[in-house]
Every structure is written in C-alpha cells, then in structure tokens.
Amino acid sequence: MSSSRGYEIMRLTPQIIWQNLAPLDTIETKIHKHITKLEKFSDRLIDCRVVIAVPHRHHHQGNIYHVQINLTVPGNELVVNRQPPTQQTHEDLHVAIRDAFESAERQLKNYAQQRRGEIKTHVGGETDAERDSIPQSH
C-alpha cells in the first residue's frame, strides 16, 4: 500500500513501549520506518512490539539503552534483544535501534527462507545461519 506522499503505509499497528524514558516522537517515527521496511521482507508479519528501556542503574556517564523487538509470525515469535557488549554502543539510542532492526531483518529473512525450504533446520530448531552466528558457551 502506498500513500499519495510516496512513502509506504504500515499494515501493522506496532506497540512501542518506553521503560524509564519519556517517549520521543523522532524515535517513534524512526521505529515506524524500520517496521515498514521489515514488512517488505515478509507479508506474514502479524505483530510487532518494540521495547526501549533504560535500566535503573547509577552511571557516571550517560544513559545505557536496551532495545528489544518481538515479531510475531505464523507459528513463531522472533525476539531481538540488543544489549551490545560495549558501553559506547549502549549510549547511542539511534545506534541501538539501528542494530536491533538489522538483527530483526536478518531473523525475518531467515524465517522467510526457512518457510520456503531454502534453509535446513537442525535438531533444536535452529537454522544454519542461526547456528553459525550464535556463540556457543562451553
């Protein structure tokens, strides 16, 4: 679906949850654009929930942001929980959101490929791409 202004209209009504942080219109607009892009990868996207959180911690520096994205697709829920390993990455909300949506895009692409039978699923339900990208703890 397109609007007369030339940008895509979302099919979903995403839920954006703010924890310990006041909602920001510019960030919500950015999130809606990312979700519209995700909808292009899969017409099977049923629901999307984005949680932006600032944990209650005392820091000597700026806020640390955590972004979680829950995507509901038929028979599955894809969860992206971005907690980057370096503090510099945590401190930039725009980078945290970008990284979370890039991860969501990869998961959604893998889901679509798996549905089409292009990716083999291994015991435990993980795909080749997931198995290769998830560090194993021993």
Side-chain angles (χ1 to χ4, degrees):
M1 227 192 267
S2 293
S3 75
S4 59
R5 294 183 185 173
Y7 57 87
E8 296 291 319
I9 298 174
M10 287 185 295
R11 294 183 307 258
L12 299 175
T13 303
Q15 184 179 18
I16 301 172
I17 300 166
W18 298 86
Q19 295 178 345
N20 306 320
L21 177 68
L24 302 167
D25 289 340
T26 56
I27 297 298
E28 287 198 12
T29 298
K30 183 176 193 148
I31 289 170
H32 285 281
K33 287 180 182 178
H34 280 292
I35 294 168
T36 299
K37 184 177 177 185
L38 289 180
E39 288 180 312
K40 292 178 183 178
F41 293 110
S42 176
D43 60 353
R44 302 181 64 82
L45 194 55
I46 298 169
D47 191 31
C48 179
R49 186 176 76 179
V50 179
V51 178
I52 300 172
V54 178
H56 279 297
R57 294 184 190 158
H58 299 287
H59 294 285
H60 298 290
Q61 298 178 354
N63 288 331
I64 294 178
Y65 301 99
H66 293 242
V67 178
Q68 180 173 325
I69 303 170
N70 295 52
L71 301 174
T72 305
V73 292
N76 205 354
E77 182 173 29
L78 309 176
V79 178
V80 176
N81 190 10
R82 296 302 295 175
Q83 297 182 17
T86 63
Q87 190 162 340
Q88 285 85 10
T89 307
H90 278 92
E91 290 180 0
D92 188 326
L93 180 56
H94 294 278
V95 171
I97 290 168
R98 181 201 65 206
D99 289 352
F101 275 96
E102 285 177 356
S103 182
E105 183 178 318
R106 283 190 301 275
Q107 285 191 35
L108 197 55
K109 284 179 181 178
N110 286 342
Y111 167 80
Q113 288 174 336
Q114 187 177 355
R115 298 266 312 169
R116 290 190 303 263
E118 296 174 13
I119 296 178
K120 294 179 184 175
T121 303
H122 297 276
V123 176
E126 66 190 16
T127 64
D128 287 333
E130 292 168 334
R131 188 182 63 185
D132 294 341
S133 67
I134 298 173
Q136 301 296 320
S137 59
H138 298 281

